[in-house]
Amino acid sequence: SSGINAEYGGIYAEDSGYTMVAEDGRDLSIPEHIDTTVTLLTTYNNGGLQAVYKGEWHDVPSLLGSILMMSGSLMHELTDGQLPPLRHRVIDIKRDRFSLPFFLNPSFHSDISKTWTSGKETETGRSFKTFGPWQVTQLHRDEPLLLNSTSLF
C-alpha cells in the first residue's frame, strides 16, 4: 500500500482520512469510500471489490460480461434517500487488476439545490445550486492530481 501512496503523490497519506489496510490486515488498492453520483462498473472477472451490507464487508462477485451499478451520496440526497449510497473498497489482489468505471452525472447546469422527489432543499443546495461547481469541488477533494487551481474558471 505504501507503493500506491508514493506513486500517486501522497493522495492517501495518513492525514487524508483514508486507510490502506483492511481490518483483517490485507492491503487495499482503493480505500473505503462512497461515490457521488451513479457509477457503472465492469471488473472483467477481476475480484477484490468489496461493499458494505448490513454493517459488514462482503466480496462483490465479479462476473465477466456484467455491469455493476452503484449509487452515490448526491443521488441519495437528490432522491430523498430512495437510492442508498454504496460504501465500497478494493482489496489488493497482488496482480494487475483492470476495471472500467463510467460515472453518470447530471448535466453541469442541473439544479441540485432541491430533491427530485419532494422538492425540499438539499444539504448540498445550501452551498451549491448547480451540479458543475459542486462536482469540481468534489474532484479537488477526491482527486487532487486531476484538476488544477483554475478548474473553476
Side-chain angles (χ1 to χ4, degrees):
S1 64
S2 59
I4 240 181
N5 196 29
E7 182 180 345
Y8 292 104
I11 292 173
Y12 303 129
E14 287 184 24
D15 64 352
S16 70
Y18 291 110
T19 181
M20 293 305 290
V21 178
E23 300 78 19
D24 61 6
R26 291 185 292 172
D27 289 335
L28 298 174
S29 56
I30 303 291
E32 167 185 340
H33 67 284
I34 294 172
D35 293 337
T36 55
T37 55
V38 174
T39 303
L40 302 177
L41 180 70
T42 183
T43 59
Y44 299 105
N45 224 16
N46 290 295
L49 182 63
Q50 292 189 323
V52 171
Y53 179 70
K54 294 187 177 182
E56 294 185 23
W57 288 103
H58 295 272
D59 292 330
V60 176
S62 181
L63 305 172
L64 189 60
S66 66
I67 296 176
L68 173 69
M69 186 183 100
M70 297 181 280
S71 180
S73 57
L74 183 62
M75 294 299 104
H76 183 251
E77 191 175 1
L78 290 172
T79 63
D80 284 310
Q82 292 180 28
L83 286 176
L86 183 66
R87 181 168 298 281
H88 57 285
R89 66 186 184 187
V90 179
I91 299 291
D92 187 345
I93 59 174
K94 306 300 182 194
R95 60 181 165 81
D96 287 341
R97 180 183 183 276
F98 299 95
S99 63
L100 179 65
F102 175 79
F103 302 103
L104 180 63
N105 298 323
S107 70
F108 192 88
H109 298 290
S110 289
D111 185 348
I112 60 169
S113 66
K114 295 182 174 38
T115 66
W116 296 338
T117 48
S118 69
K120 73 177 185 180
E121 182 182 44
T122 62
E123 181 72 30
T124 300
R126 293 185 183 139
S127 301
F128 297 94
K129 177 160 177 52
T130 59
F131 176 75
W134 176 84
Q135 179 68 358
V136 170
T137 301
Q138 298 302 303
L139 287 172
H140 275 290
R141 183 197 72 195
D142 296 341
E143 306 287 348
L145 300 178
L146 183 63
L147 301 173
N148 59 50
S149 60
T150 61
S151 297
L152 284 172
F153 306 104

